[in-house]
């Protein structure tokens, strides 16, 4: 029987994680014009940092000396993960903070040398970095190589009811998403956000008026990469395992599809695009599970639908379902009010003149003995 509640929890958790990623990408490409084709690299860094950190702390706390990727470590974590709730929460928060820091610094260090040579080099460099990192992680023994890390302790492992445990994680994920959305909205509508838009529209002009363009780009990459790392950490805790092949380039382009469909330069558009594609993701996975005998795997159909949606949206609504809106600054609001006042005054003057002309016409007709109308 189809479990609707479980489906909704699964879908909305995935939506929360991918929405954080799409908001980060939207700030980079939508507001600043930086084409980040390697977003998945920072997503993966956050996931592995959180996995390794949480496993290491738990094993050390309980006196185990197993490698984090070993079968013994998985069994040991399974026995002790729910014993001390405060440890789960502290380790979870510490892992998120460390993931943010490591992913953010990685974004800053990898991208900063390429910022001065144009956006095309930035995109290619980060794309290459992501692929090299994935191959490296497949051969990096301390994190399990190609098999990755399994048995990551869930932050709510001490909750006995699985549905309540997943629901608690969903609420936590949506709370982090809400915080990210509020932060990016404030940033986009601040003077700093207007500088980002000026860089997107004309980078040379921004440089000419004295804006430190490379520094601003590097700062934004630090923040966006760090928050992408937080999304990766949430993903690792949600699934309970990570492997290098989970962070392939396709993930980056799926997030790009979300931003393109929703509308670049509009955070709420990114959320809408994420909602559509994560629903498609979960729905095809459920179909694949419920109807195993289909001639075509529904997951392949998902990619076909994704491609068709992108083509359609680029033809009929190239700015996305929710296009970018102008920034309503205080100066702009004052200008709008003054403009409205002038319009009202002009309209009142026009009414007075029209009435005067009507009276004059009536008087003229009376003088020549002709009826008006």
């Amino acid at each position: 029987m189809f479990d609707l509640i479980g489906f909704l929890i699964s879908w909305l958790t995935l939506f929360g994680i991918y929405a954080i990623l799409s908001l980060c990408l939207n700030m980079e490409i939508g507001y600043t014009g930086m084409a980040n084709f390697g977003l998945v690299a920072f997503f993966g860094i956050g996931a592995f940092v959180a996995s390794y950190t949480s496993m290491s702390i738990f094993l050390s706390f309980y006196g185990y000396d197993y490698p984090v990727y070993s079968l013994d470590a998985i069994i040991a974590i399974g026995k002790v993960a729910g014993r001390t709730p405060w440890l789960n929460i502290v380790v979870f928060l510490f892992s998120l903070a460390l993931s943010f820091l490591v992913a953010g610094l990685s974004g800053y260090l990898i991208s900063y040398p390429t910022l001065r040579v144009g956006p095309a080099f930035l995109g290619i460099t980060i794309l290459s970095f992501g692929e090299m990192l994935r191959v490296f992680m497949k051969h990096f023994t301390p994190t399990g190589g190609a098999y990755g890390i399994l048995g990551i302790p869930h932050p709510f492992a001490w909750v006995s009811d699985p549905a309540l445990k997943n629901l608690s994680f969903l609420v936590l994920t949506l709370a982090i998403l809400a915080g990210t959305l509020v932060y990016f909205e404030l940033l986009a509508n601040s003077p700093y956000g207007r500088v980002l838009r000026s860089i997107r529209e004309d980078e040379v002009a921004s440089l000419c008026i004295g804006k430190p363009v490379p520094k601003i780009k590097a700062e934004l990459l630090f923040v966006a990469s760090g928050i992408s790392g937080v999304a990766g950490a949430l993903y690792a805790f949600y699934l309970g395992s990570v492997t290098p092949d989970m962070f392939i380039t396709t993930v980056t382009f799926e997030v790009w599809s979300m931003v393109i469909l929703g509308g670049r330069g509009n955070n709420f558009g990114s959320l809408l695009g994420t909602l559509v594609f994560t629903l498609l993701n979960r729905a095809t996975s459920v179909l694949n599970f419920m109807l195993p005998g289909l001639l075509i795997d529904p997951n392949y159909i998902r990619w076909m639908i994704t491609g068709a949606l992108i083509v359609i949206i680029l033809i009929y609504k190239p700015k996305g379902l929710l296009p970018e809106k102008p920034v309503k600054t205080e100066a702009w609001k004052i200008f709008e009010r003054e403009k409205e006042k002038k319009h009202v005054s002009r309209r009142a003057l026009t009414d007075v003149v029209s009435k005067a002309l009507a009276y004059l016409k009536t008087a003229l007709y009376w003088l020549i003995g002709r009826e008006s109308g």
Side-chain angles (χ1 to χ4, degrees), residues 104-171:
L105 285 175
S106 301
Y108 184 86
L109 293 175
I110 294 300
S111 59
Y112 190 73
T114 63
L115 288 176
R116 296 175 185 274
V117 293
F121 290 92
L122 173 70
I124 293 170
T125 302
I126 302 180
L127 174 65
S128 306
F129 168 68
E131 275 303 288
M132 286 191 293
L133 182 66
R134 186 177 66 82
V135 173
F136 172 77
M137 293 304 292
K138 290 181 76 170
H139 300 86
F140 189 58
T141 305
T143 55
Y147 298 103
I149 300 175
L150 307 176
I152 301 164
H154 196 280
F156 298 102
W158 42 277
V159 178
S160 56
D161 185 357
L164 183 59
K165 183 175 75 172
N166 292 332
L167 183 62
S168 302
F169 191 78
L170 166 63
V171 172

Side-chain angles (χ1 to χ4, degrees), residues 16 167 211 274 282-283 301 368:
L167 183 62
K211 301 299 180 186
T274 308
R282 290 293 87 191
I301 297 176
I368 62 176

Side-chain angles (χ1 to χ4, degrees), residues 26 193 240 244:
N26 186 46

